[in-house]
Amino acid sequence: MKKFMWAAIGGTVAGIVLATQVAGPLIAQEADKRTSVYEQLDLFGDIFERIRAQYVEQVDEEELIEAAINGMLTSLDPHSSYLSPNDASAMRVQTRGEFGGLGIEVTQEEGFVKVVSPMDDTPAEEAGIEAGDFITHVDGESVLGLTLDDAVEMMRGPVGSEIIITVVREGTDDPFDVSIIRDTIKLTAVRTRTLGETVVLRVTTFNDQTYPNMKEGLEKQIEEAGGLDNINGIVLDLRNNPGGLLTQSIRVSDAFLNAGEIVSTRGRDPQDGERFNATEGDLVEGKPIVVLINGGSASASEIVAGALQDHRRAIVIGTKSFGKGSVQTVMPLRQEGAMRLTTARYYTPSGRSIQALGISPDIIVEQPPRRPEGEAGEDQDAANRNRFESDLRGSLDNDSLTEDQRRQIEAERDKVEEAARLRDEDYQLAYAIDILKGLTALGPAE
């Protein structure tokens, strides 16, 4: 018994010695790390004091500290940043759907400002700015080396004032200047229309009004068509949609799904991950859906496209999306400022990360460049069109058709010609509508 007790005591002592030997260096390393951090903070304080006392010109201390904070955040990734009280207020206004500016969503790439997408019916779109353009100068001043927020600040100004931005565009040899008149940007989150038997939902942004606008517009189009039976499907147009609120992208996806995961987020700590699932109820009761995307479709747009694609609820066509698959959390700070910090990544229901990869369409459809006016225009097309039997003088009439049948044939021909005109105006949209026509012609699977 005594031997056993001594053995137990000996084992306990050995365990204490071993724990001390292992834990000791770990505690020392942690202490060294804290000391190193405090030393770096002391270094920051020393540099701040020397700048304030010895810089060639007097500096604004608050601006200097804000610049240091912003530099710390922007060194992490292009989407983390410090928001001054004015910037934070502007962001809240923009989320509500009305703000002053040019109407472009931008990011930063290789030191330059890159256009994610121009917004519909804004000065930037009217001036011809395109997704993928690089802005190198604003009113003759280079933006190279500036933070994204500083570059955006250069583009702000009074409504009605002119701004000259210098653009570099892929496929264009030389940079060129674009004149834009600043205006109040009023975003209409969703525009709806019916082309033939297809309802087109043009979603321009994901703000507080997106889902309500979409639901109301969709219901109105269905009612005007005489009911859902007269609709062959939906085109959800997310082209050049820079994203917005996660909550709205979930609601839009849920509108066409009955069950299953919509999107998940994963942060540094696995316990911080979230999954968002669909609820029962499909606004169009299983009608076919085509989703349109392009390089200007980002963030919330990619969540919707990815969710509907993974659940095989929609066919996605167009070109690869932008690839912004990170989650930014806006954290209020003292003095009415805020911090925008990347805290997680988005994943589609199948587990795909959107970040840097984007959403690849099921069918790649490029939008051809618009044909310049006067180049093989309508007059040329009319001159080159084929002649038909009905064009011949004295040709026999078709007397086998009733007047109602003749009107029906002419109405169907008008629809086909309207679709052909749409291909010249918007080839990708016309392609999407043709796909829905094909799916309707095949009918439901047995």
Side-chain angles (χ1 to χ4, degrees):
M1 183 69 181
K2 287 183 178 179
K3 288 182 180 179
F4 176 78
M5 187 178 295
W6 278 110
I9 293 171
T12 303
V13 172
I16 293 171
V17 172
L18 182 61
T20 304
Q21 289 175 342
V22 173
L26 293 177
I27 294 171
Q29 289 175 10
E30 189 64 29
D32 289 344
K33 184 184 290 186
R34 283 199 299 268
T35 301
S36 176
V37 170
Y38 291 140
E39 287 176 350
Q40 292 294 318
L41 290 173
D42 286 341
L43 175 61
F44 173 81
D46 289 342
I47 292 173
F48 176 77
E49 287 298 332
R50 292 198 180 190
I51 292 173
R52 186 171 66 167
Q54 298 178 15
Y55 186 65
V56 64
E57 296 177 357
Q58 189 170 354
V59 295
D60 186 307
E61 296 172 1
E62 290 185 3
E63 289 184 1
L64 198 60
I65 293 173
E66 282 188 6
I69 294 171
N70 199 46
M72 178 168 55
L73 287 165
T74 56
S75 69
L76 300 173
D77 64 77
H79 306 294
S80 295
S81 64
Y82 170 72
L83 300 172
S84 68
N86 288 339
D87 291 338
S89 176
M91 184 198 68
R92 287 189 287 269
V93 170
Q94 181 171 344
T95 302
R96 290 195 295 269
E98 182 174 329
F99 56 96
L102 306 179
I104 50 174
E105 180 77 12
V106 294
T107 186
Q108 198 162 39
E109 189 173 302
E110 298 178 0
F112 291 106
V113 176
K114 183 178 182 180
V115 177
V116 175
S117 66
M119 300 171 185
D120 286 359
D121 299 327
T122 62
E125 187 200 38
E126 292 171 4
I129 299 299
E130 297 180 2
D133 285 349
F134 283 92
I135 298 173
T136 62
H137 293 74
V138 175
D139 288 331
E141 294 186 36
S142 174
V143 299
L144 183 62
L146 295 179
T147 67
L148 185 60
D149 286 340
D150 287 341
V152 170
E153 187 65 33
M154 288 179 66
M155 288 185 274
R156 289 179 179 152
V159 170
S161 61
E162 182 185 29
I163 179 175
I164 306 292
I165 61 173
T166 304
V167 172
V168 172
R169 179 175 296 167
E170 186 177 355
T172 303
D173 293 335
D174 299 315
F176 57 92
D177 290 339
V178 178
S179 171
I180 305 177
I181 305 298
R182 298 178 178 95
D183 199 357
T184 299
I185 308 302
K186 295 182 180 179
L187 293 181
T188 302
V190 183
R191 293 180 174 86
T192 59
R193 57 177 170 155
T194 300
L195 295 175
E197 298 175 341
T198 302
V199 175
V200 179
L201 303 175
R202 170 70 182 129
V203 183
T204 61
T205 187
F206 287 88
N207 61 27
D208 289 334
Q209 302 304 313
T210 299
Y211 175 76
N213 285 173
M214 185 191 78
K215 185 174 183 293
E216 181 183 354
L218 176 59
E219 290 173 346
K220 181 180 179 183
Q221 295 299 317
I222 292 173
E223 182 182 353
E224 290 179 354
L228 199 55
D229 290 342
N230 297 322
I231 299 296
N232 67 4
I234 304 295
V235 173
L236 188 59
D237 188 354
L238 301 177
R239 291 174 298 175
N240 293 330
N241 182 322
L245 299 177
L246 171 63
T247 52
Q248 290 293 309
S249 70
I250 292 169
R251 294 189 72 186
V252 169
S253 302
D254 194 6
F256 305 109
L257 295 171
N258 282 312
E261 183 180 304
I262 293 173
V263 66
S264 62
T265 63
R266 304 177 202 171
R268 184 168 65 182
D269 186 344
Q271 295 181 346
D272 293 337
E274 290 186 277
R275 294 181 184 275
F276 301 91
N277 296 313
T279 56
E280 182 73 22
D282 179 347
L283 292 182
V284 292
E285 300 177 9
K287 289 282 185 179
I289 300 174
V290 172
V291 176
L292 273 172
I293 61 172
N294 64 5
S297 307
S299 190
S301 300
E302 296 172 292
I303 289 172
V304 175
L308 297 181
Q309 184 182 53
D310 280 3
H311 284 287
R312 299 187 177 181
R313 181 64 185 90
I315 298 172
V316 179
I317 74 169
T319 55
K320 187 172 78 73
S321 63
F322 185 75
K324 182 186 178 296
S326 58
V327 183
Q328 282 69 49
T329 303
V330 178
M331 306 173 183
L333 301 174
R334 64 187 68 182
Q335 299 176 350
E336 301 300 320
M339 174 173 66
R340 185 168 49 209
L341 185 67
T342 300
T343 54
R345 287 184 171 89
Y346 294 123
Y347 292 83
T348 70
S350 65
R352 293 180 294 163
S353 172
I354 297 170
Q355 181 60 29
L357 297 176
I359 299 295
S360 296
D362 299 306
I363 304 172
I364 296 176
V365 180
E366 299 279 354
Q367 184 82 305
R370 291 185 178 180
R371 186 170 59 189
E373 293 184 10
E375 183 181 307
E378 293 182 3
D379 293 341
Q380 184 71 24
D381 292 340
N384 292 337
R385 74 179 179 92
N386 294 325
R387 291 173 62 82
F388 300 99
E389 169 71 16
S390 57
D391 295 323
L392 300 179
R393 182 178 296 177
S395 62
L396 297 175
D397 290 334
N398 187 331
D399 57 5
S400 66
L401 298 175
T402 66
E403 192 62 33
D404 287 342
Q405 289 173 326
R406 190 183 300 276
R407 279 197 295 266
Q408 183 178 352
I409 289 174
E410 290 175 351
E412 289 174 354
R413 182 181 299 149
D414 289 341
K415 287 183 181 179
V416 173
E417 290 176 352
E418 182 182 352
R421 287 193 295 272
L422 183 60
R423 290 189 190 96
D424 285 336
E425 297 170 8
D426 190 337
Y427 180 77
Q428 290 175 322
L429 178 57
Y431 195 104
I433 292 173
D434 285 344
I435 286 179
L436 287 177
K437 288 179 181 175
L439 291 172
T440 305
L442 288 174
E446 296 292 338

